Amino acid sequence: GGYNLVEAITLKVLWPKLDLNERLLRGVCVVGGLVCTVGFLGVGAVYTQADYLNICCTDKYNHTEDAFRRVYHLDNSTETGYIQQLLALESFGPFVLVDSAKGLALSLKKLEFWLEEFAGVFVLSSHFIIWWFGKPLERLLPSI
């Protein structure tokens, strides 16, 4: 988001001095990056409220001790079980994923992921376009 703001201000200032192709490409990158960033934030906000919005099948987490007790039948009644429980807590933290998202919730997670990825692609493309149209490039490429 911050890069798009700075690039938009830069384009506003340099607009009359830039080549038509550079203006077009950099403008597409700014708009595309902004759309993807806002979309990423919006979809993420919807996903965080998915349970309240009755959107089915979000990720389900349990306490690590409960999950390992249920799945691996580990308990801390023996020394070995206690050590295994400590190792599980150290390795995985206080919560573990026991059921991943499905249906619409999974689609929202995928959409959120791809919007973030495309926002990054637009920023990288913008950097490449600035480099490509930059004046120092003329010195690096021999004339034919």
Side-chain angles (χ1 to χ4, degrees):
Y3 175 79
N4 286 323
L5 176 65
V6 171
E7 179 65 0
I9 293 168
T10 302
L11 283 176
K12 185 175 191 282
V13 170
L14 296 179
W15 193 260
K17 299 176 185 174
L18 298 176
D19 177 75
L20 177 64
N21 289 333
E22 184 177 4
R23 275 191 261 172
L24 177 66
L25 291 171
R26 286 174 72 177
V28 165
C29 287
V30 167
V31 171
L34 183 61
V35 167
C36 288
T37 301
V38 170
F40 166 74
L41 294 171
V43 172
V46 169
Y47 184 77
T48 61
Q49 300 300 315
D51 290 331
Y52 300 110
L53 298 172
N54 293 323
I55 295 174
C56 178
C57 310
T58 58
D59 292 332
K60 301 297 179 215
Y61 293 88
N62 274 357
H63 289 279
T64 303
E65 302 96 333
D66 297 338
F68 274 76
R69 189 176 304 115
R70 191 177 70 244
V71 174
Y72 298 111
H73 309 291
L74 296 177
D75 62 14
N76 59 5
S77 62
T78 65
E79 188 175 323
T80 303
Y82 179 71
I83 291 171
Q84 289 173 332
Q85 187 179 40
L86 288 177
L87 287 172
L89 282 169
E90 181 69 27
S91 298
F92 301 106
F95 297 98
V96 291
L97 181 68
V98 292
D99 192 13
S100 61
K102 296 175 194 62
L104 182 56
L106 178 60
S107 297
L108 286 172
K109 285 183 75 169
K110 288 179 179 181
L111 180 60
E112 183 181 17
F113 171 81
W114 285 111
L115 286 168
E116 184 178 23
E117 294 304 307
F118 280 118
V121 167
F122 280 119
V123 168
L124 290 174
S125 297
S126 176
H127 284 78
F128 179 74
I129 291 164
I130 292 167
W131 172 80
W132 183 257
F133 285 98
K135 300 299 180 213
L137 186 62
E138 293 172 0
R139 286 182 255 151
L140 295 175
L141 298 176
S143 60
I144 298 176

